[in-house]
Structures are given as C-alpha cells and as structure tokens.
Amino acid sequence: MIKKWGLAFFLSMSAFSAHAAAEGIVTTEERAIYDATTNEQIGRIMPNVYYETLYDTTKQFYVQVETATGYVLKDEAVQPADLQVRTPKNTMVTIATNGETTFYKGTDFREKLYVAAADRRFFVTNETNDYYEVLLFGQAAYVKKSDVREDRGIPVLLYHHLLRDRENENYRNNSTVDPLTFIIQMEYLKDAGYETITLDDLYAYINGEKNISAKSFALTFDDGLSTTQRYAYELLKAFNFKATNFIITSRIPPVERLFDPSTLQFLSLKNMNSMRDVFSFEGHTHNMHYFMTGSCGALVCGTAEAVAADIATSLAVMPHNYFAYPFGQHKEETTRLLKRANISMAFTTRKDYVHVGEDLYRVPRIDVQRSMTFPQFKALFE
C-alpha cells in the first residue's frame, strides 16, 4: 500500500494551489528539463503542450516537476502562454519511474506531455487499476502503472561499530558489523546504481525543496567510533559515498591512540578533520548516552535543565545542525529543547523510510545489524 502524506503540507506548496489563470510556456520543439538544484537533465517536455511555470529569470523558466522544481532554458522555441488550471484531488502518494517514462495528457495515452528520466519521483493525485494521475506543470498528466513503481521513500541506514570477527572478543552484539559485510553491502549499492545524499539534501527533500532520485540513500553512523575511519572511510571515499557520524562530544579523546579492538575508541577532532571529504559530523549529546533508570536514557529521564545544558555543551564543543537521539529515545520536551537550540532535524531508530513532509524531529532510520542477512539487506532496496 502506498503511503499517504499530510495533505496540509502539500496544499501549502504553491504548485498545488488553485489558480484562476496560470502563467506558463509552450515550446515548438522538445526541450530538456533540468533539476533546479543539481542542474542535471531529468526529462523532456513536448512541443505544442502547455506547461505552467512558477517564475522565470533572464535565462530560465522554473516549473514544478517531480517533488520540487526544475527549469527549462529560455530560447526562441519557448514562448509564454496562459491556461485555466483545475485544482487536483486531495490524495497524495508517490511513484518512481522504472526507466525513461512518458507522461500523457489524457488517459488514451496518445498525446505526450513529458518524458521523465529513470528513477524520478512524482506525487500522485489520483489512480485507477491501469494508470496514475499526477500533477505536472499545473495540469493533470497520466502514466501507465506498468511504467512506474510504488515509491517507498528514502532509506537512511544506521551503523554503529565495525569490527572484524577475528578481532572481536568483547562486542559480539547486534550493533557490531563485520567490515567485510559492510563492504559487500556498499558494493551492492554501488553496482546497483545507488548514490548517497547528505543530510542537507534529506532536509531539503522533506521540506519539498529538492528533487531526489529514487536510487538514493543516506548513510549514518552513531557514537563516533574510530572504526568508522579504520574500516569505512577509504571505501566510502573510493565509491564517492557521503556519510554522517553522530558524535558523543564528551568521548572525543584529546589525542589519538593506537588501535585496540578490545575497547571502544572514539574519533579525535584531528581524525574528524581528516575525514570531512566523506563524513559530516553531527550531535549525539555531550554526556547523555547512557541509561539513567532501567532502560530509560538520560536524555528522557534527565531534567529539562540538565538536557538543555548538555545540548548547549555539545554545540559548544562541536557546532552542528542535526541530532540523533541516544537509543532512539525522545519525548515532546526533548524536541522542544532541540528546536530552542536551533537544531534543524533529529533522528530516531524507528525503522521506516523517509518521505516528504516527515516530522523533522522524528526522522526514521533503518538499523543495519549483525544479524541482518544479505537478502534482507537487498530487500530494503528492491
């Protein structure tokens, strides 16, 4: 079943508003559509078809396409035009294209409206057994269900400790993954054509500000363990993958130590600075990564004053915009304190995919554990 999102979020977006008369363009020849943030070509528009525009600059017309915006270059073949536009139905789901995919003006699938590249996401306004209706350029467009797939959202993977089985004497728990397993997983994603996105990208996607390919994922590590440098850094650099490490700032050592797999060792500031071409570093509390009472973490069971002070200290040691809850635990007061500290987004350990309109302070992640088999890992992406 395709996930439905909060209607209020989408109706607040300008492209989904009703217009008495919309400004737009008509082109006499096929023209490329480019992503407004990456400038990559993501599709083509058809000649003699109306396309609503959001705004224009001296060189581009900007349009609503996929889940955010794109643009077409201004030239002699592209002319301004007007058209009455209806309001879409109040049902929003998302799909992704399988390959280069044609969207049509009608359900007879005769007149082309738009040709999208592979693995692009679109909001759906209606559906039947045979086709989806989407809103493109301020008007209804139709795509055959056989040409697209349900979009589950963006997976945000979560890892902790990487340690070889033969050297792992003390940490044979589900949070410790053998580096060989990690290599196999990353090689699979690279070979399958997946690319990483940064948390800045994810934040923009959630807010409806950026188009993200359906072959994208985010990669995160919790706790700031030194094994991320030892076993993950060079591989991710070779694959041009980006990742985020959530740091417990009280555990940052003043100096580096020789590697010792029998103990937990953490990244120094020098280590972090040497990894910034691959990793970004965000917050995981200063000193509240422990259970205070039974299974209740300090971030939840501590006083509001103590939590606020801890967040402030963490930010002072290492400025950051994003945050991961220790053990995934949080409550309303926790999110309130993070907002007050100008933290923009916070991550849980709730297993799910990330969608446009997600609660920015309860972003889900998928914990990749030692017990996860390779078929189970593949199933996250298939």
Side-chain angles (χ1 to χ4, degrees), residues 78-101:
V78 183
Q79 300 296 325
D82 291 316
L83 182 74
Q84 293 293 117
V85 181
R86 67 177 181 79
T87 303
K89 290 189 68 173
N90 296 339
T91 304
M92 297 295 175
V93 299
T94 58
I95 53 174
T97 54
N98 293 326
E100 188 174 82
T101 301

mmCIF file of all heavy atoms in Angstrom, residues 78-101:
data_model
loop_
_atom_site.group_PDB
_atom_site.id
_atom_site.type_symbol
_atom_site.label_atom_id
_atom_site.label_comp_id
_atom_site.label_asym_id
_atom_site.label_seq_id
_atom_site.Cartn_x
_atom_site.Cartn_y
_atom_site.Cartn_z
ATOM 1 N N VAL A 78 10.685 28.580 -27.067
ATOM 2 C CA VAL A 78 9.880 28.546 -25.843
ATOM 3 C C VAL A 78 9.156 29.876 -25.690
ATOM 4 O O VAL A 78 9.801 30.927 -25.557
ATOM 5 C CB VAL A 78 10.764 28.271 -24.609
ATOM 6 C CG1 VAL A 78 9.905 28.170 -23.359
ATOM 7 C CG2 VAL A 78 11.570 26.996 -24.805
ATOM 8 N N GLN A 79 7.825 29.828 -25.686
ATOM 9 C CA GLN A 79 7.026 31.046 -25.643
ATOM 10 C C GLN A 79 6.104 31.064 -24.427
ATOM 11 O O GLN A 79 5.556 30.027 -24.040
ATOM 12 C CB GLN A 79 6.170 31.157 -26.916
ATOM 13 C CG GLN A 79 6.977 31.204 -28.205
ATOM 14 C CD GLN A 79 7.850 32.430 -28.292
ATOM 15 O OE1 GLN A 79 7.474 33.506 -27.826
ATOM 16 N NE2 GLN A 79 9.029 32.283 -28.888
ATOM 17 N N PRO A 80 5.888 32.246 -23.806
ATOM 18 C CA PRO A 80 4.939 32.348 -22.689
ATOM 19 C C PRO A 80 3.518 32.035 -23.155
ATOM 20 O O PRO A 80 3.162 32.253 -24.315
ATOM 21 C CB PRO A 80 5.066 33.812 -22.252
ATOM 22 C CG PRO A 80 6.381 34.260 -22.780
ATOM 23 C CD PRO A 80 6.591 33.505 -24.055
ATOM 24 N N ALA A 81 2.690 31.502 -22.218
ATOM 25 C CA ALA A 81 1.300 31.163 -22.549
ATOM 26 C C ALA A 81 0.480 31.163 -21.269
ATOM 27 O O ALA A 81 1.020 31.168 -20.162
ATOM 28 C CB ALA A 81 1.230 29.796 -23.228
ATOM 29 N N ASP A 82 -0.855 31.166 -21.405
ATOM 30 C CA ASP A 82 -1.769 31.117 -20.267
ATOM 31 C C ASP A 82 -2.753 29.982 -20.443
ATOM 32 O O ASP A 82 -3.089 29.574 -21.548
ATOM 33 C CB ASP A 82 -2.549 32.430 -20.129
ATOM 34 C CG ASP A 82 -1.645 33.579 -19.706
ATOM 35 O OD1 ASP A 82 -0.824 33.367 -18.800
ATOM 36 O OD2 ASP A 82 -1.764 34.663 -20.305
ATOM 37 N N LEU A 83 -3.274 29.463 -19.281
ATOM 38 C CA LEU A 83 -4.257 28.384 -19.330
ATOM 39 C C LEU A 83 -5.003 28.331 -18.017
ATOM 40 O O LEU A 83 -4.439 28.583 -16.956
ATOM 41 C CB LEU A 83 -3.561 27.032 -19.565
ATOM 42 C CG LEU A 83 -4.468 25.807 -19.679
ATOM 43 C CD1 LEU A 83 -5.175 25.802 -21.033
ATOM 44 C CD2 LEU A 83 -3.660 24.525 -19.515
ATOM 45 N N GLN A 84 -6.293 28.012 -18.076
ATOM 46 C CA GLN A 84 -7.062 27.751 -16.866
ATOM 47 C C GLN A 84 -6.630 26.412 -16.278
ATOM 48 O O GLN A 84 -6.517 25.416 -17.002
ATOM 49 C CB GLN A 84 -8.554 27.705 -17.193
ATOM 50 C CG GLN A 84 -9.142 29.043 -17.634
ATOM 51 C CD GLN A 84 -9.155 30.056 -16.526
ATOM 52 O OE1 GLN A 84 -8.507 31.076 -16.610
ATOM 53 N NE2 GLN A 84 -9.867 29.766 -15.455
ATOM 54 N N VAL A 85 -6.378 26.377 -14.983
ATOM 55 C CA VAL A 85 -5.875 25.160 -14.335
ATOM 56 C C VAL A 85 -6.817 24.745 -13.225
ATOM 57 O O VAL A 85 -7.242 25.564 -12.413
ATOM 58 C CB VAL A 85 -4.465 25.404 -13.747
ATOM 59 C CG1 VAL A 85 -3.949 24.133 -13.096
ATOM 60 C CG2 VAL A 85 -3.521 25.869 -14.838
ATOM 61 N N ARG A 86 -7.167 23.463 -13.160
ATOM 62 C CA ARG A 86 -8.052 22.965 -12.112
ATOM 63 C C ARG A 86 -7.247 22.546 -10.884
ATOM 64 O O ARG A 86 -6.051 22.294 -10.959
ATOM 65 C CB ARG A 86 -8.855 21.767 -12.622
ATOM 66 C CG ARG A 86 -8.023 20.545 -12.902
ATOM 67 C CD ARG A 86 -8.900 19.393 -13.332
ATOM 68 N NE ARG A 86 -8.124 18.197 -13.594
ATOM 69 C CZ ARG A 86 -7.673 17.395 -12.657
ATOM 70 N NH1 ARG A 86 -7.862 17.662 -11.387
ATOM 71 N NH2 ARG A 86 -6.976 16.304 -12.969
ATOM 72 N N THR A 87 -7.927 22.469 -9.758
ATOM 73 C CA THR A 87 -7.287 22.013 -8.524
ATOM 74 C C THR A 87 -7.241 20.494 -8.499
ATOM 75 O O THR A 87 -8.227 19.844 -8.818
ATOM 76 C CB THR A 87 -8.082 22.517 -7.306
ATOM 77 O OG1 THR A 87 -8.162 23.937 -7.382
ATOM 78 C CG2 THR A 87 -7.391 22.119 -6.004
ATOM 79 N N PRO A 88 -6.115 19.874 -8.127
ATOM 80 C CA PRO A 88 -6.042 18.421 -8.101
ATOM 81 C C PRO A 88 -6.854 17.824 -6.960
ATOM 82 O O PRO A 88 -7.229 18.511 -6.016
ATOM 83 C CB PRO A 88 -4.547 18.157 -7.871
ATOM 84 C CG PRO A 88 -4.083 19.356 -7.129
ATOM 85 C CD PRO A 88 -4.865 20.506 -7.702
ATOM 86 N N LYS A 89 -7.131 16.523 -7.060
ATOM 87 C CA LYS A 89 -7.826 15.826 -5.977
ATOM 88 C C LYS A 89 -6.931 15.780 -4.747
ATOM 89 O O LYS A 89 -5.714 15.815 -4.827
ATOM 90 C CB LYS A 89 -8.192 14.410 -6.417
ATOM 91 C CG LYS A 89 -9.289 14.358 -7.482
ATOM 92 C CD LYS A 89 -9.748 12.941 -7.717
ATOM 93 C CE LYS A 89 -10.480 12.432 -6.491
ATOM 94 N NZ LYS A 89 -11.088 11.100 -6.727
ATOM 95 N N ASN A 90 -7.562 15.668 -3.567
ATOM 96 C CA ASN A 90 -6.836 15.761 -2.318
ATOM 97 C C ASN A 90 -6.283 14.417 -1.841
ATOM 98 O O ASN A 90 -6.527 13.975 -0.742
ATOM 99 C CB ASN A 90 -7.749 16.360 -1.233
ATOM 100 C CG ASN A 90 -8.139 17.778 -1.570
ATOM 101 O OD1 ASN A 90 -7.473 18.434 -2.358
ATOM 102 N ND2 ASN A 90 -9.222 18.252 -0.988
ATOM 103 N N THR A 91 -5.548 13.729 -2.693
ATOM 104 C CA THR A 91 -4.898 12.481 -2.327
ATOM 105 C C THR A 91 -3.472 12.526 -2.843
ATOM 106 O O THR A 91 -3.263 12.685 -4.034
ATOM 107 C CB THR A 91 -5.623 11.267 -2.938
ATOM 108 O OG1 THR A 91 -6.979 11.293 -2.538
ATOM 109 C CG2 THR A 91 -4.996 9.975 -2.462
ATOM 110 N N MET A 92 -2.492 12.403 -1.947
ATOM 111 C CA MET A 92 -1.109 12.493 -2.370
ATOM 112 C C MET A 92 -0.358 11.209 -2.022
ATOM 113 O O MET A 92 -0.254 10.825 -0.866
ATOM 114 C CB MET A 92 -0.418 13.681 -1.690
ATOM 115 C CG MET A 92 -1.011 15.024 -2.062
ATOM 116 S SD MET A 92 -0.775 15.400 -3.817
ATOM 117 C CE MET A 92 -1.699 16.919 -3.954
ATOM 118 N N VAL A 93 0.142 10.545 -3.048
ATOM 119 C CA VAL A 93 1.007 9.393 -2.888
ATOM 120 C C VAL A 93 2.200 9.629 -3.807
ATOM 121 O O VAL A 93 2.227 10.608 -4.545
ATOM 122 C CB VAL A 93 0.272 8.081 -3.245
ATOM 123 C CG1 VAL A 93 -0.921 7.869 -2.338
ATOM 124 C CG2 VAL A 93 -0.192 8.094 -4.693
ATOM 125 N N THR A 94 3.188 8.746 -3.792
ATOM 126 C CA THR A 94 4.317 8.947 -4.703
ATOM 127 C C THR A 94 4.650 7.671 -5.444
ATOM 128 O O THR A 94 4.450 6.568 -4.959
ATOM 129 C CB THR A 94 5.589 9.422 -3.971
ATOM 130 O OG1 THR A 94 5.939 8.470 -2.987
ATOM 131 C CG2 THR A 94 5.397 10.779 -3.362
ATOM 132 N N ILE A 95 5.186 7.883 -6.650
ATOM 133 C CA ILE A 95 5.646 6.803 -7.507
ATOM 134 C C ILE A 95 7.035 7.162 -8.009
ATOM 135 O O ILE A 95 7.472 8.307 -7.905
ATOM 136 C CB ILE A 95 4.701 6.586 -8.713
ATOM 137 C CG1 ILE A 95 4.493 7.918 -9.459
ATOM 138 C CG2 ILE A 95 3.373 5.979 -8.265
ATOM 139 C CD1 ILE A 95 3.695 7.789 -10.741
ATOM 140 N N ALA A 96 7.722 6.164 -8.587
ATOM 141 C CA ALA A 96 9.033 6.396 -9.201
ATOM 142 C C ALA A 96 9.054 5.725 -10.565
ATOM 143 O O ALA A 96 8.478 4.651 -10.761
ATOM 144 C CB ALA A 96 10.140 5.835 -8.318
ATOM 145 N N THR A 97 9.737 6.352 -11.511
ATOM 146 C CA THR A 97 9.822 5.799 -12.859
ATOM 147 C C THR A 97 10.804 4.644 -12.902
ATOM 148 O O THR A 97 11.855 4.677 -12.267
ATOM 149 C CB THR A 97 10.251 6.881 -13.854
ATOM 150 O OG1 THR A 97 11.473 7.487 -13.394
ATOM 151 C CG2 THR A 97 9.184 7.956 -13.971
ATOM 152 N N ASN A 98 10.480 3.614 -13.688
ATOM 153 C CA ASN A 98 11.372 2.461 -13.827
ATOM 154 C C ASN A 98 12.515 2.748 -14.794
ATOM 155 O O ASN A 98 13.673 2.466 -14.514
ATOM 156 C CB ASN A 98 10.586 1.244 -14.304
ATOM 157 C CG ASN A 98 9.597 0.753 -13.267
ATOM 158 O OD1 ASN A 98 9.855 0.826 -12.068
ATOM 159 N ND2 ASN A 98 8.447 0.270 -13.716
ATOM 160 N N GLY A 99 12.172 3.281 -15.948
ATOM 161 C CA GLY A 99 13.144 3.693 -16.949
ATOM 162 C C GLY A 99 12.704 5.033 -17.488
ATOM 163 O O GLY A 99 11.919 5.734 -16.852
ATOM 164 N N GLU A 100 13.203 5.430 -18.653
ATOM 165 C CA GLU A 100 12.695 6.659 -19.265
ATOM 166 C C GLU A 100 11.199 6.476 -19.490
ATOM 167 O O GLU A 100 10.778 5.500 -20.119
ATOM 168 C CB GLU A 100 13.410 6.934 -20.579
ATOM 169 C CG GLU A 100 13.060 8.288 -21.172
ATOM 170 C CD GLU A 100 13.888 8.621 -22.398
ATOM 171 O OE1 GLU A 100 13.517 8.134 -23.484
ATOM 172 O OE2 GLU A 100 14.875 9.356 -22.266
ATOM 173 N N THR A 101 10.402 7.389 -18.978
ATOM 174 C CA THR A 101 8.959 7.165 -18.876
ATOM 175 C C THR A 101 8.181 8.344 -19.439
ATOM 176 O O THR A 101 8.479 9.500 -19.135
ATOM 177 C CB THR A 101 8.563 6.940 -17.403
ATOM 178 O OG1 THR A 101 9.278 5.809 -16.908
ATOM 179 C CG2 THR A 101 7.074 6.699 -17.262
#
